[in-house]
Each structure stands twice: as structure tokens, then as C-alpha cells.
Amino acid sequence: MTEYDYTKVEKKWQEKWAKAKAFEANVDPDKKKFTVSFPIAYLNGSIHVGHAYTLMKVDAYARFRRMLGFNVMFAQGWHATGQPIAGVAERLKKGDEVQKRILKQSGVPDSEMKKFTDPLHISNYYKVLAKRDFTNFGISVDWRREFVTTPLCPPFNRFIEWQYETLKKLGYVKKGTHPVVWCGSCQSPTGDHDRLEGLGIGPIEFTIIKFPFEDGYLVPATLRPETIFGVTNMWIHPDGNYAKIKVDDEIWYVSEPTIIKLQDQLHDVKVISKFKGIEIIGKKCRAPIRNEDVKILPATFVATDHTTGVVMSVPSHAPFDYVALRDLKNNPEILTKYGLPTDFANDIELISMVSTEGLGDHPAKDIIEEMGIENQDDERTEEATQTIYSKEFHGGAMRENCGKYAGTKVSDIKDILIKDMSKEGTTSSIWEPTGTVICRCTTKNHVKILKDQWFITYGDQKWKKKAHDHLAKMTIYPPDARQAFEYTIDWLNDKACARKSGLGTKLPWDPEWIVETLSDSTVYMAYYTIARIINEKDIQPEQLPNEIFDYLFRNKATLEEAVEKSGLDEVIVKEMKEEFEYFYPPDYRASAKELIFNHFTFYIFQHLALFTKGHYPLEIEANGMIMIEGDKMSKSGGNSLTLKDLIDRFGVDASRFGEAYAGEGYADASFRFADTEAAGKRLKQMFKELTEMKFSTEERRIAMDN
Ligand SMILES: [Zn+2]
């Protein structure tokens, strides 16, 4: 049925659109504009069905608005800031075979691979492919407004310099000392885009309690220091690597992975000796405040790379501790394995120290027995922990065995207790990510306290208030995504905005720092409005002083100043202003819902800081992640599909239908080959009927219409 091959029509129309410059958006005061955008795509791989899912939403909406008579501007740029691309180049330089194989599998020819040691070559290579795929997919982009976020596009770097100099001037970028999630291998803070795993995870502070032990302290760390009143013993991993160290002027006993964390968290650390956990098992340490000795016992659930690798055991309230203690009592051979008498743990009794309505004296014991949890490795133990924690935090009070704290609510006790204990010098603290974070370089990250680092002050309460107020006026699709925005605005903290490695724009006042990937991609939609003129007139970065951006975007400089400082022709500067005033504010922007927790919210914050009223974003759509045939898309898991492969297999129109059918709303979408194939068949049938109809009678034509 090749005569009814509708895919030929696809090319015909794409050529017609190009010839007619159908998607070029020019200022037209008689027409209402509508500005849409899709995130600048990252140039470290090919465009895949996940990109295409969101792209279809943007493109369908853009085309719909055009049909309603709007002058739609849909521009597209490219992202290459940060470590991912630079990392590939570095690994190839070192001759990394795994990296070579990954690139080969993704279709990079050998002739190109040699040039992949240059990160700018990598971004250029993928830019060409991405632009090809966008065009072939029929995405209605005005390509005159294209840019890349690297030294490949110096005028854009200048725009970012202006953005950061302005934020700094306004007090939104400050130097400070803050904990950040840190990659020890890259020697840089790890933003969401730099991570293989651990999106949205930030640092949390654990309280260290110092238990006198031998000539120093054994130092467990906890989020619930009040449970000191229920501690029955200490847990150590018998096979774990531990060390005796000098921390500032004290002796501490900690797991080996703790050393780097303490060093990175502003402590002076010297290693005195190293030992295996088993060597201190069976000994005793002393619980502070209560001044009672407790035994050090073996437990394999202890993770030596989490906090200090020392765990205080509160079996009445902590399910993990209860299970581990029960294991020792039921299987005394564990104790003999470590040279301890079989009855060594028998004298340990549960100590109840919180009373909570609806919970028994020993809630951990109750919940473990109810859930039928058999041993330390049962994953449901974590769930049980969360349940008790939440109930005790919201409804619990300290029992009479907690001395002067008896009767205090659990929700109030932490601050009071830490204050008292730090007066006595019995506490310290350690920061840890709230979950596992793996850098793109595959290193597991920890928390470092950075001194004198540049931060964006997203924690600023006044700025948050403005963001909430503006969000209330915005249209959010789907409506249930709004809550996630509210939450993110509330919880956002000051965020490191620069790294020391990778591609990007240097901080103009501190050039050893490079503006990181989520910080130079917040307001580039404004750059699109002037990018056509910059590209066509080949405007150089030195012709873009701060005054020109201040004039264009903020009305903080005059036309005369902008012309004088830039050296540009007044006509050009006026034209730029006209483009910005016409195409701004950004009407609609879409991306995956995971971006609510960073990019989308930064997009709102930064617009409020940098632009004037009437230029703030209006509509955001957050879509679910795409699954392929019901399974999560994953390059490493082999369940991935590039847009090119999709188009080659089904043609453009069937692929567009397939993507559009995949889903809508906040729920994850599922791309199905059967739907795409069926769409292709229907298109073929329609094409056949329409082709035949062309030669038929008027009556038949009317019949077809009906
Ligand atoms: Zn790294």
C-alpha cells in the first residue's frame, strides 16, 4: 500500500513550513502574543520519548493557540552547564572503557568518539542531533532564537553574568556558611542535575550524644536525642571498620567513613588508631544524664557509612533496636560467635520513656509483633519506625523516668534537651543527606559545610511570601500540582549556586566559581526575546553591558545609557526592547513534575526578583514521568527509546499520536507501541480515503463530510 504512504506528506509539509517561515514569531502589535517554552534540553544524549512526551504538550498547545489567532513564540535553546558533559570528556581522556562502550551503544561513531575528549564538541554533536529530531518531529520552533548555556554562546554567558550581578546587588546572592550535599570526588556541591540518584535530597542535622568510653567518647547520632532516657545498650557493626580519632580536643570512637564527614564539617580530625567493631563489642560505655553503664552489642543493621556508625539502642520505642535485641536473646549463638556468654543480653530490659495515647508501654515491641516482622533485614521495619515516630512526635509526652523533663511534649523536648546538654558539653552534631545521593561520577555523596560559598537566598521569608502570592495568581496544570509548589516554596532553603568544575558561566566577581546547572536556567525565556537580534546581528558579549539588560528587562537604566554603554545602534536597542515588551511575560511552560521541586519553583522566584510586575510567569504544566509499556524508562535498564528510533519505526504523525495518547495529568504516563501502531493504521486509512476522494464526485465528498 505504498501509494498511501502518508509519511511522504510529513516531509512535504515540513518543507512548506520551513519555506513559509511558519513558526517565526515577529512583533505584531495587531496580534495577541502567546509565549510558550520547553526546558533547554541537556546535550549529553539523544532526545528520547520522555522529552517528546512533554514536547507534544507544548507543541499541541502552541499550534492550538495559533489556530485561535495568537502570535505564538516557541523558542528552544540547549543546556550543557555542569559536570555531566565535562565528566564524559574527562573519562574519555583517561581512556575509560565503560564510557566508550556506553557511547558506542548509544550510536556515537568511532570517528566522533576521538573528538569527545572536548566537552564543547560533545555539546555541539548532540545539539545538531537534537535540532534534527525536533524538526523531524514537527515541533514548531522559531530557530532564530537558539542558544547554548556554555562558552559556545558568549552573549548568553553575558546574560547570566548580568543575572548574577543583579541578584547579588539585590541581596539574593550572598556568601555564607551552609551545609551542602557534596561529592568528594568532584570536589563540588552536587545539585539535582549532577545526580544519578537522590533527586531533591538535602542535608539534615543529627544530634551526637557523647557516651563516655575508655579515654574518650563513643558517639551515636540520632534525630531523637530525647530517647537517651530509653537507651539500653549500644550497637556496633561487628565486621565494620572503626577508628579512634582526635576531634578538635576530644577522643571519639567512630566508624571510618565518619572521618571525612567530620573533616568536611569544620572539625579538626586526627586518626589515632583503627580497629574492627568486634574489638569493642562486650565492653561498656556510660549513658550521659542518666549516668548508667550500658553494654556494647553486635548488630548487622548498623550502617557504618551512616552518621557515625554507632547506634544507641532504644528497644522500647525503636523497631530496629527491638528486633536486633530479640535476635540476640533468641539466638545466643550470635553472642558466642563474638566470644560473649550466651546470657550476655538477657539482663537487658525494655525501658519505656514516652507515653502516647493509643500506644502501649512498648510500642516498638507491639508493632513488630503485630506486623509479624521476623528479623533485622525485613524492609518493613523502616515503615514501623516512621509510624511510631510520627505518633510519638505528635501525641507523646516524656514519662516520669525522664527527670525534670517528665510531662514535656515530645514535639518540644528536642530543643530544650539539646540546649541543656550542650551546656554540659555532652552533645555535638553531624550532617547527613536525608537519603542516598549518588553523583553522576558514581561517588556516594556526604554533607560538607561550605565556608564562604555563594548561595541564592531561597530561604528568605519575604521572597517566599512574594512567591506564594504570585503562585496564587498563576494557572497550574493539573490543579493537584499546586500543593507541591506550595510545599517547595515553604521548604526551599538557601542553595549553593556555583561549582568549581564543569562547563558554564564564571561568577563575574569570583571567577574560580562556575554558575551551576540549575542556577543558569531560571530566566532564559527573557533571553529568547532578544536572541534573534543577537544571533542575526552577531552581537558580541562586550556589546551587552549590564546597562542594556537593566534597560530591557528592569527599566533600571535609560535608553541613552543602554545605547552609550553598549555601543549598539539605537534602532537595534529599541528593537530589542520592543521584542521583550511584546513577547513577555512567559505565558506557558511545561516539564516533568519532578522539576517542581527545583527548576519550576526557581523560575518563579527569580522572575519575581529580577523582572517588574507584568513580566512574571503565568501558566505552568507539570506532567508525570513517562513509562514505556508500563515500565520505568531507563537507559541503563535497556528500556529507553530515542525520538529518532520512534519516528523511524512509526513515522512522525503516528509517533505524535502515540506520545499524545500516553497520558495526561500528574500521574505517570505510559507510552504504548500498540496505540502508536493503531494510530498509524488509522492515519493510513484516512489518507487512503482522502486520496481517493480527491477524484470523486461532489456528492461523495459531501457524504464523507457527514
Ligand atoms: Zn562526583
Side-chain angles (χ1 to χ4, degrees), residues 183 186 439 441:
C183 177
C186 296
C439 177
C441 77

Side-chain angles (χ1 to χ4, degrees), residues 83 182-188 190 194 438-443 445 499:
Q83 197 54 32
W182 177 263
C183 177
S185 169
C186 296
Q187 286 290 301
S188 249
T190 319
D194 306 311
I438 310 285
C439 177
R440 277 182 188 270
C441 77
T442 69
T443 305
N445 288 183
R499 293 175 58 96

Side-chain angles (χ1 to χ4, degrees), residues 87-146:
V88 170
E90 277 162 30
R91 285 193 288 281
L92 282 183
K93 253 184 232 166
K94 287 182 202 152
D96 187 327
E97 290 302 324
V98 177
Q99 184 65 61
K100 274 189 202 164
R101 202 173 63 231
I102 293 171
L103 290 170
K104 218 180 166 92
Q105 275 166 356
S106 74
V108 177
D110 285 339
S111 55
E112 282 293 333
M113 197 96 71
K114 290 182 197 98
K115 300 178 218 156
F116 266 39
T117 46
D118 173 9
L120 293 183
H121 182 83
I122 299 177
S123 41
N124 227 351
Y125 174 82
Y126 284 114
K127 187 184 89 163
V128 172
L129 296 188
K131 201 172 162 182
R132 173 202 69 190
D133 294 343
F134 269 61
T135 308
N136 288 347
F137 197 48
I139 300 301
S140 54
V141 168
D142 180 351
W143 288 114
R144 301 170 304 168
R145 300 172 187 274
E146 194 183 1

Side-chain angles (χ1 to χ4, degrees), residues 385-488:
T385 303
Q386 293 299 330
T387 305
I388 293 179
Y389 180 77
S390 170
K391 284 188 181 162
E392 291 190 337
F393 184 82
H394 292 108
M398 305 300 284
R399 284 188 191 273
E400 53 293 338
N401 58 355
C402 302
K404 65 173 179 174
Y405 305 106
T408 307
K409 284 187 198 161
V410 174
S411 55
D412 296 337
I413 182 74
K414 190 170 168 179
D415 292 342
I416 303 170
L417 189 64
I418 290 176
K419 213 169 153 190
D420 288 354
M421 289 179 76
S422 58
K423 262 186 229 156
E424 291 164 18
T426 46
T427 62
S428 181
S429 77
I430 187 165
W431 291 83
E432 194 73 35
T434 53
T436 304
V437 176
I438 310 285
C439 177
R440 277 182 188 270
C441 77
T442 69
T443 305
K444 187 175 177 208
N445 288 183
H446 63 274
V447 174
K448 181 176 170 101
I449 297 177
L450 275 190
K451 268 170 123 175
D452 299 335
Q453 152 82 317
W454 294 102
F455 287 84
I456 306 179
T457 61
Y458 290 130
D460 180 331
Q461 290 304 323
K462 275 190 201 152
W463 205 5
K464 282 177 190 276
K465 168 93 174 50
K466 274 190 180 173
H468 275 302
D469 290 349
H470 181 66
L471 179 70
K473 294 179 204 145
M474 291 180 72
T475 306
I476 303 291
Y477 307 110
D480 42 338
R482 182 176 294 276
Q483 213 187 338
F485 277 97
E486 300 280 6
Y487 171 88
T488 308

Side-chain angles (χ1 to χ4, degrees), residues 655-671:
S655 300
R656 286 173 65 99
F657 272 107
E659 291 280 6
Y661 286 155
E664 60 182 329
Y666 207 47
D668 286 343
S670 189
F671 179 84

